Amino acid sequence: MLNAVGTLARLGLAAVWLVSGALKLADPGQTLIAVQAYDVLPGTLENVVAIALPLVELVLGLFLLAGLATRWAAGAALGLLLVLIAGIAQSWARGLSIDCGCFGGGGHVAAGQTEYPQEILRDTGFALLAVWLLARPRTWLSLDGWLARDRGNSTEPEPDYSGIAEGN
């Protein structure tokens, strides 16, 4: 049961990063507008973040999808989610009216159209998935599990076939 939960957490978090990164990469101009709306970085860093963020998200998504270096990817995902949550929270605290741009789009919106509590709760839920994977990185259908079996380090118990040999 725990392996099933872990597998769903890994694949769900992979989907989040892959969709988020792809949407941002598809519209780099809008991604820059979203980054600028947070009003926390100097102009030169805004460009770097707008270019790097979708690429980092896609790499995290691919690692999690493959189940490769799962604990590392989960730790990086958790760190990035904490930065994003802090960015949303500081925008809210400063009274900015922006859309987070978490799944493309983003930028300034009308004062009544912000969704800070929902965005923070959603990202906190994603962070909990990352925490789960930090604690239990071995999941089904993962390269980590396949590589561990090849090295003889599998954490999964070997099946007991003794009853079959005895005709039971």
Side-chain angles (χ1 to χ4, degrees):
M1 177 68 171
L2 294 178
N3 284 341
V5 171
T7 302
L8 291 174
R10 180 175 57 82
L11 295 176
L13 200 53
V16 166
W17 291 123
L18 290 171
V19 169
S20 177
L23 290 172
K24 287 182 182 102
L25 198 59
D27 193 353
Q30 188 60 46
T31 302
L32 178 59
I33 290 169
V35 170
Q36 290 170 333
Y38 284 90
D39 194 30
V40 292
L41 298 171
T44 54
L45 281 181
E46 289 173 342
N47 289 322
V48 171
V49 169
I51 292 167
L53 183 60
L55 299 175
V56 168
E57 291 176 343
L58 288 171
V59 167
L60 284 174
L62 290 172
F63 270 76
L64 289 165
L65 181 64
L68 180 62
T70 302
R71 182 171 277 147
W72 172 87
L78 179 60
L80 183 53
L81 284 161
L82 292 175
V83 168
L84 295 172
I85 291 168
I88 295 166
Q90 70 81 31
S91 296
W92 190 9
R94 291 174 50 208
L96 300 178
S97 294
I98 66 170
D99 175 321
C100 73
C102 297
F103 290 94
H108 294 282
V109 296
Q113 293 185 326
T114 60
E115 296 181 347
Y116 298 127
Q118 298 93 318
E119 292 166 348
I120 290 171
L121 283 173
R122 179 200 59 218
D123 288 353
T124 300
F126 296 152
L128 291 174
L129 296 178
V131 168
W132 178 277
L133 292 171
L134 279 171
R136 293 189 52 87
R138 296 282 190 246
T139 60
W140 293 333
L141 306 171
S142 71
L143 288 178
D144 286 342
W146 179 73
L147 292 170
R149 276 192 296 281
D150 275 358
R151 291 190 310 254
N153 295 331
S154 177
T155 58
E156 296 180 25
E158 291 293 321
D160 179 14
Y161 297 115
S162 61
I164 295 171
E166 297 168 7
N168 294 332

